[in-house]
Amino acid sequence: MLVARGLSIIFISHKLGEVMAASDRVLVLRSGRLVGERRTADTNRHELAELMVGREVKPPAVVSMARGPALISLRGVSTGNRGSRGWLDDVSLGLHTGESTRLAGVSCNGQAALAGLIAGTEKPVAGAIVIGGSVQADWSPRAALAAGIGRIPEDRHAVGSIADMTVTENVIAERYRSPRFSRHGFLDWRAARNFAETLIRDYDVKCPSPETRMRLLSGGNMQKLILGRALDSEPQIILANQPVRGLDIGAVSYVHQKLLEARARGAAILLISEDLDEILALSDRIIVISSGRLSPPSARGERSARELGELMAGQFEAPAVPGETVRPHAS
């Protein structure tokens, strides 16, 4: 409408679907430089992605693996009503070695409560959390870390990092008490800085130095640091809550590849996402959450996006033991 009135519109986005739908001409910036200009009608997502990243972007391949034992189980877990966090209603779920479980659902249907439960920031009012055959009686963030849970939180600004602290301070925030970074009650800043430099190098983080304030980083670079912090200790259980929200296609591909590498070494992964394309492409099994209850699980490729959408609207019967049975993975 505005263009029809003669206005010139500058639309800035890294979401290629929006770019292709809402533009006549595309300019691509990378590292502060103009690297390409195309008429929208003469290009496609693949070409624009290559211009944005500077290389070919291939979606990571998911190789079928045999599912191992459950590393963490929720047995009949319910939580209180916490407003925007939602709630869980008699939820049973097992996360297994070498398996990537995707949780789909419309916002505020219990995803935040489930993520908080696994991360240790939420406690059940009924049911049990079982790790290694032991019921966890005193569940907390420290207990979750001690149990080998790597956490990639939904909100990298409010929960995943402390904006005015440095990169170094942020990457050791969950383990500053460990012998790796502490000596006789004092922080070993040399070890901490070396760790930050390693993550910056290995995860290709664009920042001036480990002393850079976290708030000065782009969302993608901040997410890479949080990902590196979570995966460095090779956790056996990984909670990835909206890990690619707001990221460009290059960063999305990188995060997905790292998660698949963790799966290949035997980690159990729970990925919470509202992106059906992401869910359909990378899952071993898919579970939908609606009004705090879980649907029966389905293998990758078993359900269409439309069918998943119906489940997200709550059109399912909860299984007798949800999350513990599923047909073999699709190849």
Side-chain angles (χ1 to χ4, degrees):
M1 182 182 297
L2 294 177
V3 173
R5 290 167 52 189
L7 295 177
S8 178
I9 307 297
I10 299 175
F11 174 65
I12 301 173
S13 176
H14 58 248
K15 295 184 177 181
L16 296 181
E18 294 181 351
V19 170
M20 296 297 295
S23 66
D24 299 304
R25 183 169 60 112
V26 183
L27 304 179
V28 180
L29 296 176
R30 186 175 71 245
S31 300
R33 294 186 176 184
L34 178 65
V35 296
E37 179 177 349
R38 300 287 189 275
R39 286 182 53 82
T40 307
D42 298 331
T43 189
N44 54 55
R45 294 191 190 193
H46 184 75
E47 182 184 24
L48 294 178
E50 288 189 6
L51 287 170
M52 289 169 62
V53 179
R55 56 178 171 78
E56 185 177 5
V57 180
K58 294 182 178 179
V62 182
V63 178
S64 295
M65 293 177 59
R67 183 171 78 163
L71 298 179
I72 180 172
S73 297
L74 308 181
R75 298 180 180 175
V77 169
S78 297
T79 63
N81 191 338
R82 300 290 183 87
S84 61
R85 290 183 63 84
W87 67 94
L88 301 178
D89 179 15
D90 193 22
V91 163
S92 294
L93 172 68
L95 301 180
H96 295 253
T97 298
E99 182 178 61
S100 178
T101 300
R102 260 54 178 183
L103 186 73
V106 179
S107 293
C108 302
N109 269 270
Q111 297 97 318
L114 181 59
L117 193 70
I118 293 176
T121 59
E122 184 100 14
K123 292 186 177 182
V125 297
I129 302 171
V130 181
I131 299 178
S134 299
V135 175
Q136 304 299 301
D138 187 17
W139 194 236
S140 66
R142 183 175 294 183
L145 291 171
I149 297 177
R151 307 180 300 173
I152 304 170
E154 177 181 12
D155 191 333
R156 56 181 169 259
H157 298 284
V159 180
S161 64
I162 301 174
D164 284 324
M165 284 189 174
T166 66
V167 167
T168 297
E169 290 168 327
N170 272 279
V171 298
I172 68 167
E174 294 187 338
R175 288 188 286 161
Y176 67 91
R177 295 175 182 268
S178 72
R180 182 176 180 181
F181 303 118
S182 179
R183 297 289 186 274
H184 308 294
F186 293 93
L187 286 172
D188 184 343
W189 286 109
R190 178 177 295 180
R193 180 186 172 89
N194 289 342
F195 177 53
E197 289 176 340
T198 297
L199 291 187
I200 290 170
R201 181 188 67 245
D202 292 351
Y203 286 80
D204 191 29
V205 177
K206 301 295 190 296
C207 71
S209 79
E211 279 67 51
T212 303
R213 301 291 171 183
M214 199 72 164
R215 59 180 167 78
L216 298 179
L217 272 60
S218 69
N221 286 306
M222 191 180 297
Q223 193 73 354
K224 287 180 182 179
L225 282 172
I226 293 171
L227 182 73
R229 180 181 68 191
L231 300 185
D232 173 74
S233 59
E234 297 191 346
Q236 288 301 296
I237 302 163
I238 298 171
L239 168 65
N241 191 356
Q242 311 291 349
V244 299
R245 177 181 285 170
L247 303 187
D248 64 59
I249 191 167
V252 167
S253 178
Y254 187 85
V255 171
H256 285 168
Q257 185 59 48
K258 286 297 181 181
L259 291 174
L260 288 176
E261 289 172 5
R263 168 184 174 269
R265 63 168 171 76
I269 299 172
L270 177 64
L271 187 147
I272 301 174
S273 176
E274 297 170 13
D275 186 333
L276 287 181
D277 290 336
E278 178 184 35
I279 290 168
L280 291 169
L282 295 172
S283 309
D284 290 316
R285 63 170 178 164
I286 302 169
I287 298 174
V288 173
I289 188 168
S290 178
S291 298
R293 300 169 68 243
L294 299 185
S295 75
S298 56
R300 181 175 69 250
E302 185 178 343
R303 295 185 185 277
S304 66
R306 178 179 178 179
E307 290 173 320
L308 288 174
E310 291 173 351
L311 292 176
M312 291 166 70
Q315 300 178 32
F316 62 79
E317 292 292 332
V321 185
E324 293 299 327
T325 59
V326 64
R327 287 184 281 276
H329 302 165
S331 58

